[in-house]
Coordinates of all heavy atoms in Angstrom, one line a residue:
A260 N 109.6 52.8 132.6 CA 110.9 52.9 131.9 C 111.1 51.9 130.8 O 110.2 51.1 130.5 CB 112.0 52.7 133.0
S261 N 112.2 52.0 130.1 CA 112.6 51.1 129.1 C 113.9 50.4 129.5 O 114.6 50.9 130.5 CB 112.9 51.9 127.8 OG 113.9 52.9 128.1
L262 N 114.4 49.4 128.8 CA 115.7 48.7 129.1 C 116.8 49.8 129.0 O 117.7 49.8 129.8 CB 115.9 47.6 128.1 CG 117.3 46.9 128.3 CD1 117.4 46.2 129.7 CD2 117.5 45.8 127.2
Q263 N 116.7 50.6 128.0 CA 117.7 51.7 127.8 C 117.8 52.6 129.1 O 118.9 52.9 129.5 CB 117.3 52.5 126.6 CG 118.4 53.4 126.0 CD 119.6 52.6 125.5 OE1 119.5 51.4 125.3 NE2 120.7 53.3 125.3
L264 N 116.7 53.0 129.6 CA 116.7 53.9 130.8 C 117.2 53.1 132.0 O 117.9 53.6 132.9 CB 115.3 54.4 131.1 CG 114.9 55.6 130.2 CD1 113.5 56.1 130.6 CD2 115.9 56.7 130.2
A265 N 116.8 51.8 132.1 CA 117.2 51.0 133.2 C 118.8 50.8 133.2 O 119.4 50.8 134.2 CB 116.6 49.6 133.2
L266 N 119.3 50.7 132.0 CA 120.8 50.5 131.9 C 121.6 51.8 132.1 O 122.6 51.8 132.6 CB 121.1 50.0 130.5 CG 120.9 48.5 130.2 CD1 121.0 48.2 128.7 CD2 121.8 47.6 131.0
H267 N 121.0 52.9 131.6 CA 121.8 54.1 131.5 C 121.2 55.3 132.3 O 121.9 56.4 132.4 CB 122.0 54.5 130.0 CG 122.7 53.4 129.2 ND1 124.0 53.0 129.5 CD2 122.2 52.6 128.3 CE1 124.3 52.1 128.6 NE2 123.2 51.8 127.9
G268 N 120.0 55.2 132.8 CA 119.4 56.3 133.5 C 120.0 56.4 134.9 O 120.5 55.4 135.5
G269 N 120.1 57.5 135.5 CA 120.8 57.6 136.8 C 119.8 57.8 138.0 O 118.6 57.7 137.8
E270 N 120.4 57.9 139.2 CA 119.6 58.2 140.4 C 118.6 57.2 140.8 O 117.5 57.6 141.4 CB 119.1 59.6 140.3 CG 120.1 60.7 140.1 CD 119.8 62.0 140.8 OE1 118.6 62.2 141.1 OE2 120.7 62.8 140.9
D271 N 118.8 55.9 140.5 CA 117.8 54.9 141.0 C 118.0 54.7 142.5 O 117.1 54.3 143.2 CB 118.0 53.6 140.3 CG 117.4 53.7 138.8 OD1 116.3 54.2 138.7 OD2 118.2 53.4 137.9
F272 N 119.2 54.9 143.0 CA 119.6 54.7 144.4 C 119.2 53.3 144.9 O 118.7 53.1 146.0 CB 119.0 55.8 145.3 CG 119.6 57.1 145.0 CD1 118.7 58.1 144.4 CD2 120.9 57.4 145.1 CE1 119.3 59.3 144.0 CE2 121.5 58.6 144.7 CZ 120.6 59.6 144.2
E273 N 119.4 52.3 144.0 CA 119.2 50.9 144.4 C 120.6 50.4 144.7 O 121.6 51.0 144.4 CB 118.6 50.1 143.3 CG 117.2 50.5 142.9 CD 116.2 50.2 144.1 OE1 116.5 49.5 145.0 OE2 115.0 50.8 144.0
L274 N 120.7 49.2 145.3 CA 122.0 48.6 145.6 C 122.4 47.6 144.6 O 121.6 46.8 144.2 CB 122.0 48.0 147.0 CG 121.8 48.9 148.2 CD1 121.6 48.1 149.5 CD2 122.9 49.9 148.3
L275 N 123.6 47.7 144.1 CA 124.2 46.8 143.1 C 125.4 46.1 143.8 O 126.3 46.7 144.2 CB 124.7 47.6 141.9 CG 125.4 46.9 140.7 CD1 124.4 45.9 140.1 CD2 125.9 47.9 139.7
F276 N 125.3 44.7 143.8 CA 126.4 44.1 144.5 C 126.7 42.7 143.9 O 125.9 42.2 143.1 CB 126.1 43.9 146.0 CG 124.9 43.1 146.3 CD1 125.0 41.7 146.6 CD2 123.6 43.6 146.4 CE1 123.9 40.9 146.9 CE2 122.5 42.9 146.7 CZ 122.7 41.5 147.0
T277 N 127.8 42.2 144.2 CA 128.2 40.8 143.8 C 128.3 39.9 145.0 O 128.7 40.4 146.1 CB 129.5 40.8 143.0 OG1 130.6 40.8 143.9 CG2 129.6 42.0 142.0
A278 N 128.0 38.7 144.8 CA 128.1 37.7 145.9 C 128.2 36.3 145.2 O 127.9 36.1 144.0 CB 126.8 37.7 146.7

Side-chain angles (χ1 to χ4, degrees):
S261 58
L262 177 63
Q263 194 65 12
L264 284 182
L266 283 169
H267 303 294
E270 301 213 343
D271 288 308
F272 299 112
E273 297 294 346
L274 295 173
L275 176 66
F276 63 93
T277 80

